[in-house]
Amino acid sequence: MKEKVIILDFGSQYTQLIARRIRELNVYCEIQPYNQPIKEEEGLKAVILSGSPFSVKEENALKLPLKGLLGRYPVLAICYGAQLLADQLGGQVERSQKREYGKAHLHKLKQDDPLFQHVPESSQVWMSHADHILHLPKGYEVVAGTESIEVAAFRKREENSKQAVYGLQFHPEVSHTEYGKQLLKNFLRNIAGCKAEWTPASFVRETIENIRKQVGGEGVLLGLSGGVDSSVAAALLHRALGDQLVCFFIDNGLLRKGEYEEVLHSYRDMGLNIVGVDAKEEFYQALKGLSDPEAKRKAIGRTFVEVFQREAAKLPDIQWLAQGTIYPDVIESVSVHGPSVTIKSHHNVGGLPDILHLKIIEPLRMLFKDEVRRVGRELQLPEDILGRHPFPGPGLAIRILGEVTAEKVALLQEADAIFIGELRREGLYERVWQAATILLPIQSVGVMGDERTYEKTVVLRAVNSLDGMTAEWSRLPHDFLARVSNRIINQVHGINRVVYDISTKPPATIEWE
């Protein structure tokens, strides 16, 4: 049985980061709402309580029946989790006069404790809390402090490791905590007894076996986007099922220049049973006269469903619809009482399962994006697919502000091809998380030779990010940007101005629509 760790989410912005760190240590974990009962199951090794934006002293503080949890599994409580534990078990927690936020250094470490093995005295940690633990509950003891607080870490050690409980006032999951990963490793191995055997290779083996059991001899249909998620899902399903899998790749006329032909060729080289569908004109017609971003998205989604439904009707032996859903989609579809969560429905195929009356299979639903790429490499997918920047489902329709026309798409494709091509040529593509070119619905005066021009403006956008939740604008070299601007203005007739977007997310978003 696969070993597992459960993270109870109290709404912290760092909850997904805790999960990522644990998985980087080759231990499988899942996030669930704090108020969802933990199922007794074989292989469950430990429970982690996340932080929260709440204070345990507030009337609407998120509570958990700890006495039903403690003693069943080893527990690691982080920040709010630690304060909640101290408060509910009879300790004293009070609101601080000032919020402790930022760097601190551990002092008075009990270095013989298995949690702090290979963690040195005075090592840096990251604090982010407004509550202060003044006194611990009976039976608990301090194992570390900082220069400003006495209780930075505490424990209740028992002879039975299942009853071990640790609380941390700091965040071990963030990079600012120098030995945070070592501390998590110590908890997982020294205290929870995890073997750390969850790897891309083991995931591929288990998933292929599960797909074969789930699907049997029935047919599976998958709509490919050309992106990483759907491509890795296709490779896994193909490895498990062979030609029982049929893939659609629909050209909606909103892809990058030459992308439809290039990606279709790559998929055929992978041995996939793939059907290419040219539906450009249908999408352009659906977008005619629309300028509102939400209206454009709905028109694209509706047209995709219509095209997909029509093509699927030609395949009578299909019983399953595959989706490239990944773990952030699953987490964000679950309502948790906390501001970290944005509730949204699965958006991969726009209601197709109900329309087509097909069963759903989602082979990647428990993976983060970086894990999807690692699994893709295990499956030996080509790097030109695995290394592709994220690309929005509506494609260039939301990078053309205002109404979308075939002429505007062609204009943007040319400018975008220059930008992406130069990023690749200069070795900058892999150093940027996502790059885009945006066509603005404005014209400006310019001069070319002795002639006055009145043409369009494009925006270059390049950002660095881990998962798209936050993003920093990329510091591309000025001479590089100058060369890209010069090429676009000189080679793309109809554009006479290029600007560079230096907005971060938040407050801006990565895409403009």
Side-chain angles (χ1 to χ4, degrees), residues 192-388:
C194 296
K195 295 178 182 177
E197 296 175 337
W198 194 68
T199 63
S202 69
F203 175 84
V204 168
R205 285 194 304 272
E206 290 172 15
T207 303
I208 287 173
E209 183 180 335
N210 291 338
I211 289 170
R212 288 171 178 164
K213 286 179 183 176
Q214 189 176 5
V215 171
E218 296 177 333
V220 179
L221 180 60
L222 170 64
L224 289 165
S225 68
V228 175
D229 301 337
S230 68
S231 299
V232 174
L236 265 174
L237 289 159
H238 180 68
R239 181 80 64 92
L241 303 172
D243 282 348
Q244 286 174 245
L245 172 69
V246 179
C247 300
F248 285 164
F249 186 36
I250 297 173
D251 185 1
N252 59 12
L254 303 167
L255 302 171
R256 285 184 153 130
K257 183 181 178 181
E259 188 171 37
Y260 176 68
E261 294 78 14
E262 291 170 13
V263 174
L264 197 60
H265 182 74
S266 294
Y267 284 145
R268 286 177 176 150
D269 283 349
M270 288 166 57
L272 296 181
N273 181 10
I274 186 163
V275 177
V277 182
D278 183 351
K280 291 192 292 289
E281 292 307 319
E282 289 177 70
F283 282 89
Y284 291 153
Q285 192 61 36
L287 288 165
K288 191 172 183 179
L290 301 180
S291 58
D292 178 73
E294 191 60 24
K296 290 193 289 186
R297 288 176 185 273
K298 287 180 179 177
I300 291 166
R302 184 172 60 250
T303 307
F304 179 84
V305 168
E306 291 169 359
V307 173
F308 201 100
Q309 188 176 10
R310 183 183 68 228
E311 296 299 320
K314 301 174 185 176
L315 303 170
D317 297 326
I318 298 295
Q319 289 81 33
W320 294 84
L321 183 69
Q323 293 189 177
T325 307
I326 63 174
Y327 199 34
D329 298 328
V330 176
I331 296 167
E332 291 171 3
S333 297
V334 178
S335 177
V336 177
H337 183 47
S340 73
V341 174
T342 302
I343 302 168
K344 64 180 180 182
S345 59
H346 291 322
H347 52 275
N348 301 66
V349 289
L352 275 171
D354 295 333
I355 294 170
L356 299 176
H357 307 292
L358 298 176
K359 295 173 281 187
I360 290 292
I361 185 166
E362 298 171 317
L364 307 178
R365 66 178 278 111
M366 302 312 291
L367 296 185
F368 288 104
K369 175 72 81 173
D370 53 335
E371 294 170 331
V372 173
R373 284 195 168 95
R374 290 203 291 273
V375 167
R377 291 188 178 96
E378 180 67 27
L379 291 164
Q380 299 183 322
L381 263 69
E383 281 297 325
D384 63 341
I385 287 180
L386 289 180
R388 290 186 71 216

Side-chain angles (χ1 to χ4, degrees), residues 40-57:
E40 291 276 2
E41 57 182 301
E42 187 182 351
L44 182 52
K45 306 292 285 186
V47 175
I48 294 176
L49 310 184
S50 84
S52 174
F54 287 88
S55 163
V56 298
K57 308 311 291 183

